[in-house]
Amino acid sequence: LTNCRLNDLLSPGELGTLAATPVSLVDSARAGSTAARVTTASLTIDGPGELIQFAARAVQNSPWLDLSAATGTAPGDFSVSLDPSGLAVGEYLDTLRFTADGPEERTLDVPVRFTVQPCAITEIGSIPATISGALTTSDCGSVAQPGRFARRYRFAGTANDSLTIQVAAAGFGASVALEREGVATPIGQATTCA
């Protein structure tokens, strides 16, 4: 047999509030890249309470922001994917709104800032030089070859220098273009390598 006073049932006491670490989500990607970036916030409870159920949504419903779930439980982690596909260079903003279940439906807003950056140029300096790395969907998109990915390098060369470029790209087409700074037409380019 349990004895409860009506006041205890109507006013069960103070509930904790949702808190997030970090207090905002910030990430970036290269223009033309198609690899989604995943970032995570740890949700905790400030004050009394062991678990808080919540609903989550993007306030502006941005198409580049994908929530891992529409509901969840704190404490715990909550992830979002930030998709740069089709986005121009610039800064994209939205807000994640977490609404705690309960009579007061308290909300927690977590700002999201996603920056799409232009393709970076890696300075090699003088040749001979060796650079290695893997071209992936996280790299920027090629301006000259739509649908392909790119990395840009700059080096100082003189007449009769020799240049060897090896490109490996599994799952998508690779191309190489050799350009002179300030000149729109490439000195040479290839979309197939042998």
Side-chain angles (χ1 to χ4, degrees), residues 2-15:
T2 303
N3 291 326
C4 293
R5 293 183 295 168
L6 183 59
N7 187 41
D8 291 337
L9 294 173
L10 297 176
S11 302
E14 190 175 323
L15 298 174

Side-chain angles (χ1 to χ4, degrees), residues 16-158:
T17 58
L18 288 172
T21 304
V23 294
S24 66
L25 299 176
V26 179
D27 210 338
S28 64
R30 296 285 176 201
S33 65
T34 59
R37 309 282 297 174
V38 176
T39 186
T40 301
S42 292
L43 297 175
T44 58
I45 301 170
D46 281 347
E50 293 181 20
L51 294 174
I52 294 180
Q53 302 288 325
F54 61 84
R57 69 180 183 91
V59 172
Q60 295 178 10
N61 201 27
S62 298
W64 51 266
L65 177 59
D66 185 36
L67 284 63
S68 60
T71 60
T73 304
D77 290 342
F78 190 84
S79 298
V80 296
S81 294
L82 309 174
D83 186 0
S85 299
L87 297 180
V89 170
E91 187 173 77
Y92 297 84
L93 305 171
D94 205 330
T95 302
L96 291 178
R97 177 159 294 154
F98 299 96
T99 304
D101 286 351
E104 296 178 17
E105 292 188 341
R106 295 179 183 168
T107 61
L108 169 68
D109 286 349
V110 177
V112 180
R113 184 174 67 218
F114 188 42
T115 305
V116 178
Q117 302 172 340
C119 193
I121 297 175
T122 302
E123 296 287 345
I124 295 175
S126 299
I127 53 175
T130 301
I131 300 289
S132 64
L135 190 63
T136 70
T137 57
S138 293
D139 287 307
C140 59
S142 171
V143 175
Q145 299 287 326
R148 297 176 186 258
F149 298 95
R151 285 200 184 169
R152 301 187 69 183
Y153 299 96
R154 182 179 308 160
F155 63 90
T158 58

Side-chain angles (χ1 to χ4, degrees), residues 162-190:
S162 176
L163 182 64
T164 301
I165 301 173
Q166 295 178 330
V167 177
F172 51 86
S175 68
V176 175
L178 186 59
E179 301 171 347
R180 181 177 292 156
E181 196 165 15
V183 178
T185 305
I187 296 169
Q189 71 182 50

